Amino acid sequence: MVTQPELRDKDLVLWTQLLAEVLNVEVLERLSAEHPDVRYAHGFLIQQLVEGGRPVGEIAENLGVTSQAVSKTVRELERLGYVQRAVDAADGRVRRVALTARGRAVLEAGRAIRAEINAELEAALGEERVTAAATALRDALAARGAMPAVAARRLRSAQDLPTRADEGGTWLSISITPCAISSRLRAPTCT
């Protein structure tokens, strides 16, 4: 139950964050049937490779993280068989990261799962409400100036935002969520 009743109906940010969390969990749970090793963070790197291979530095710049962070995830995805590294044909010093057949399969599986969930939402809410909700969310992204980043696949995860952890200046990556969500509960629990 929402403990901030004044937010119940009109807090678009809260409801969007909660829906995103619920839908991310659903997608990952369904995806785990065929791809049990894929994690939420992998999706950001995989999305960078949809249009073809890219150098680690370019991926890091697009995601707003360090090359070391990207390299770590690339090594993990390479070990799992989702990506491969190859020497750039134009510059032998550069290694490009690209999806493998397994990487393209996880991408297509994710798209199919999203289509299933969209169909389920349409069956539950009706086509008109789903269309209106999708339009409102796109408009909200545009109002926040985010559409260029969406189009360029350059959205960053809030989990990657640094925060000053102590007076010594150590930066940590933390996850900030507005509410605790249980997959067993029908309603979010917010404080």
Side-chain angles (χ1 to χ4, degrees), residues 6 18 20-21 25 37 44 64 67 70 73 77 86 90 93 103 140 142 152 157 165 178 180 188 190:
E6 70 277 6
L18 293 172
E21 292 290 335
V25 168
D37 297 319
F44 290 92
S67 291
V70 171
T73 303
L77 288 171
R93 298 169 297 170
S157 169
C190 300

Side-chain angles (χ1 to χ4, degrees), residues 154-169:
R154 293 184 74 148
L155 284 180
R156 292 173 38 201
S157 169
Q159 293 179 8
D160 294 327
L161 293 178
T163 184
R164 220 9 95 132
D166 60 22
E167 293 178 10

Side-chain angles (χ1 to χ4, degrees), residues 168-180:
T170 303
W171 288 91
L172 296 176
S173 177
I174 63 169
S175 174
I176 300 170
T177 54
C179 304

Side-chain angles (χ1 to χ4, degrees), residues 32 34-39 42 76-77 79-80 82 102:
S32 70
E34 293 179 42
H35 301 278
D37 297 319
V38 171
R39 295 182 294 111
H42 294 155
E76 183 180 0
L77 288 171
R79 181 180 52 77
L80 296 170
Y82 292 106
R102 182 171 166 84

Side-chain angles (χ1 to χ4, degrees), residues 16-26 159 176-177 181:
T16 302
Q17 288 175 319
L18 293 172
L19 180 60
E21 292 290 335
V22 168
L23 293 176
N24 282 330
V25 168
E26 278 190 52
Q159 293 179 8
I176 300 170
T177 54
I181 302 171

Side-chain angles (χ1 to χ4, degrees), residues 45 55-57 59-60 65-78 83 85 97:
L45 192 138
V56 167
I59 295 168
V65 299
T66 65
S67 291
Q68 292 82 358
V70 171
S71 292
K72 180 180 176 184
T73 303
V74 166
R75 283 191 303 274
E76 183 180 0
L77 288 171
E78 192 172 36
V83 302
R85 287 182 273 189
V97 181

